[in-house]
C-alpha cells in the first residue's frame, strides 16, 4: 500500500538547482540570470532540437559548430541546405536538420528573425512540437509551461509512483508536472527537473540520498525507484538487408549520390545502395550494382535505426568515372565535409579503411 507523503514543492528543487546545476554552453546559469542575463531563444531552440534523441555530450561540439557557422537564426535561414545537412552529418535523425532549416527560414521570413514567445506561436513553426515549444517558452521566455522530456518523466513517475505504463501515462505525468511548475522561475525549474533526472534520479542506481525530493517521493518510500517509469514491452526490431557500392577512381575520387528529400535520411549524401527501406529488404549482391565493374565483397556493416536494424553488404570497385543519375565523383580526401550519415560512413570505411582519417593540407 502506498504511503501518504507531503506534496513536492518547487522551491526545494530550485534551491538544489542553484547549487548543483550543470554548466551547459546554451544555458544561462542561475547566478547570471539573477544578474539580469537572459537566455537567447536561438540558442535554446537550437540546443533543444539537437538534444532530441541525442546525448548532451554528443551535442556540445555540434552546437558550437553551428553557432560558429551561423551565429544568428537569420544566418542559418540564409545558408544553403546542403551546408546545413553537411554540418549536421553524424548527429542522426536527419529530419531534424531539414526542419531546423525550415524553421529558421520561417522565423526569418514571417517573424523578422525573432522567435514567438508563446507555446502556441512556437508550435506553429516547422519541426516544433509540444515538448520543444514548452521548453523554449519556459527557458527562453520564462512562461509557466509544463516541460516534460525523458528525464522529467522519470522524476515525476517516481515522485508519484505512477504505475500505468508509458506512453499511455504521459497525460497524467504532464498534468503532475504542470501542477508542480511555479510561476516564478519556470525556466530554471524545467532545467532543474532535467538536471535532477540526468544526474540524481537516473534510470539505474539513482542517488536518492542526495535528492531534494527524497522526503516527498513515493517510489523512494516504497524502496522501489528503479521500477519507474513503467514501460510497455518493447517490440523486437526487424532486421533489414541491403547492399552499398563504393566505387573509387585511380585518381582517388568516390561516387556519391544525394537521397531524395523525403523519407529516411532525406536529402543526405550516400554511396549507391539497393532499395532497402524500414519495411522491405533491398538486393544484397553485386548483381544490383549501379554499373558493371570488378565489384569485390568487403564485408558487412550494421546500423541500428529507431525502428529497425540495417545490415549492408559492402562492395568496392576500382573504376574509371561513369555517369550516374544524380551522382558525382568526390575526392576521398573531401569525404569528411560531405553530408554523409553515419551508416554511409560505416559503409565507406568498410571499403576504404582510411577514408575518414585526417589528411594534411
Amino acid at each position: 500500500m502506498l504511503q501518504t507523503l507531503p506534496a513536492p514543492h518547487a522551491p526545494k528543487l530550485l534551491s538544489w538547482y542553484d547549487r548543483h546545476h550543470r554548466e551547459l554552453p546554451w544555458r544561462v546559469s542561475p547566478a547570471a540570470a539573477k544578474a539580469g542575463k537572459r537566455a537567447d531563444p536561438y540558442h535554446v531552440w537550437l540546443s533543444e532540437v539537437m538534444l532530441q534523441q541525442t546525448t548532451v555530450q554528443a551535442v556540445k561540439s555540434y552546437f558550437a559548430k553551428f553557432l560558429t557557422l551561423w551565429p544568428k537564426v537569420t544566418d542559418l535561414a540564409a545558408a544553403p541546405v546542403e551546408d546545413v545537412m553537411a554540418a549536421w552529418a553524424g548527429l542522426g535523425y536527419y529530419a531534424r536538420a531539414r526542419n531546423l532549416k525550415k524553421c529558421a527560414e520561417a522565423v526569418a521570413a514571417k517573424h523578422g528573425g525573432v522567435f514567438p514567445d508563446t507555446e502556441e506561436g512556437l508550435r506553429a513553426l516547422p519541426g516544433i512540437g509540444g515538448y520543444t515549444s514548452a521548453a523554449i517558452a519556459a527557458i527562453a521566455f520564462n512562461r509557466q509551461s509544463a516541460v516534460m522530456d525523458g528525464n522529467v518523466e522519470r522524476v515525476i513517475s517516481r515522485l508519484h509512483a505512477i504505475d500505468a505504463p508509458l506512453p499511455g501515462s504521459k497525460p497524467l505525468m504532464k498534468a503532475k508536472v504542470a501542477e508542480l511548475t511555479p510561476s516564478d522561475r519556470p525556466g530554471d525549474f524545467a532545467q532543474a527537473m532535467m538536471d535532477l533526472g540526468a544526474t540524481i534520479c537516473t534510470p539505474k542506481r539513482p542517488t536518492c540520498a542526495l535528492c531534494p525530493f527524497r522526503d516527498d517521493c513515493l517510489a523512494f518510500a516504497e524502496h522501489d525507484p528503479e521500477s519507474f517509469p513503467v514501460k510497455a514491452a518493447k517490440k523486437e526490431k526487424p532486421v533489414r538487408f541491403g547492399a552499398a557500392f563504393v566505387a573509387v577512381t585511380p585518381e582517388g575520387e568516390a561516387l556519391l549520390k544525394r537521397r531524395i528529400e523525403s523519407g529516411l535520411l532525406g536529402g543526405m549524401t550516400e554511396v549507391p545502395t539497393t532499395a532497402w527501406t524500414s519495411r522491405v529488404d533491398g538486393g544484397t549482391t553485386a548483381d544490383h550494382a549501379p554499373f558493371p565493374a570488378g565489384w569485390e565483397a568487403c564485408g558487412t556493416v550494421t546500423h541500428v535505426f529507431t525502428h529497425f536494424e540495417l545490415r549492408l553488404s559492402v562492395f568496392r570497385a576500382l573504376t574509371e568515372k561513369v555517369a550516374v543519375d544524380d551522382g558525382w565523383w568526390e575526392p576521398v580526401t573531401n569525404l569528411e565535409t560531405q553530408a554523409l550519415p553515419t551508416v554511409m560512413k560505416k559503409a565507406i570505411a568498410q571499403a576504404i579503411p582510411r577514408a575518414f582519417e585526417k589528411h594534411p593540407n
Side-chain angles (χ1 to χ4, degrees):
M1 183 176 178
L2 291 178
Q3 302 180 35
T4 301
L5 298 177
H9 292 287
K12 280 187 180 181
L13 181 63
L14 288 168
S15 178
W16 172 86
Y17 179 72
D18 288 343
R19 301 189 305 275
H20 301 293
H21 60 276
R22 291 180 292 176
E23 296 287 348
L24 300 173
W26 45 82
R27 177 180 286 180
V28 174
S29 71
K34 193 172 183 179
K37 185 175 181 181
R38 295 290 175 260
D40 185 323
Y42 174 49
H43 294 186
V44 176
W45 164 72
L46 183 60
S47 65
E48 288 296 338
V49 173
M50 288 183 168
L51 285 164
Q52 293 166 16
Q53 307 290 329
T54 310
T55 65
V56 166
Q57 198 56 41
V59 164
K60 286 180 179 178
S61 62
Y62 282 88
F63 179 79
K65 182 203 301 186
F66 267 68
L67 287 190
T68 299
L69 292 169
W70 305 295
K72 299 178 181 179
V73 69
T74 47
D75 299 325
L76 181 59
V81 66
E82 294 81 8
D83 291 355
V84 176
M85 300 303 286
W88 189 277
L91 200 54
Y93 300 92
Y94 295 98
R96 292 182 299 169
R98 297 194 296 274
N99 284 329
L100 191 82
K101 181 70 167 71
K102 291 175 183 176
C103 184
E105 291 170 348
V107 171
K110 298 179 181 179
H111 300 278
V114 178
F115 279 86
D117 64 0
T118 64
E119 277 192 69
E120 294 75 19
L122 289 161
R123 197 161 186 174
L125 294 170
I128 295 186
Y131 163 75
T132 306
S133 60
I136 298 170
I139 298 168
F141 301 110
N142 230 24
R143 298 283 187 181
Q144 192 178 2
S145 299
V147 182
M148 192 174 76
D149 68 354
N151 284 318
V152 178
E153 285 177 357
R154 187 163 56 255
V155 172
I156 208 73
S157 69
R158 289 172 176 175
L159 273 175
H160 297 281
I162 295 172
D163 56 9
L166 286 166
S169 57
K170 280 180 182 284
L172 174 58
M173 291 185 188
K174 186 75 175 285
K176 294 293 186 183
V177 174
E179 289 174 10
L180 193 54
T181 301
S183 58
D184 181 44
R185 299 178 65 190
D188 279 352
F189 174 80
Q191 293 174 110
M193 287 285 278
M194 295 175 194
D195 281 12
L196 187 67
T199 63
I200 299 293
C201 195
T202 50
K204 301 294 182 183
R205 303 175 71 178
T207 318
C208 297
L210 302 179
C211 180
F213 284 148
R214 178 182 63 253
D215 296 334
D216 312 318
C217 181
L218 285 171
F220 176 68
E222 297 295 322
H223 309 290
D224 197 22
E226 288 189 32
S227 295
F228 300 93
V230 178
K231 298 181 179 179
K234 285 186 177 180
K235 294 181 180 178
E236 189 172 342
K237 288 184 178 181
V239 178
R240 298 296 176 222
F241 297 88
F245 300 93
V246 182
V248 183
T249 67
E251 295 76 31
E253 294 179 286
L255 177 61
L256 300 178
K257 298 181 66 179
R258 183 162 290 111
R259 293 178 66 85
I260 61 172
E261 289 296 324
S262 60
L264 186 67
L265 306 180
M268 299 298 289
T269 301
E270 66 173 358
V271 293
T273 69
T274 51
W276 55 268
T277 71
S278 61
R279 294 182 176 84
V280 297
D281 295 335
T284 58
T285 67
D287 296 338
H288 297 86
F291 54 84
W295 296 101
E296 300 176 349
C298 50
T300 301
V301 296
T302 299
H303 188 76
V304 180
F305 292 96
T306 305
H307 301 298
F308 72 104
E309 177 181 308
L310 176 65
R311 298 178 188 173
L312 287 177
S313 299
V314 181
F315 298 86
R316 66 182 169 210
L318 185 66
T319 178
E320 297 300 326
K321 286 186 181 180
V322 175
V324 175
D325 288 346
D326 300 319
W328 73 95
W329 295 85
E330 188 72 34
V332 171
T333 53
N334 290 351
L335 290 179
E336 192 64 62
T337 67
Q338 302 301 303
L340 289 159
T342 300
V343 63
M344 294 302 156
K345 288 185 176 181
K346 288 181 181 179
I348 293 169
Q350 186 70 23
I352 313 172
R354 301 180 65 181
F356 295 101
E357 288 187 3
K358 297 294 182 184
H359 298 279
N361 293 328

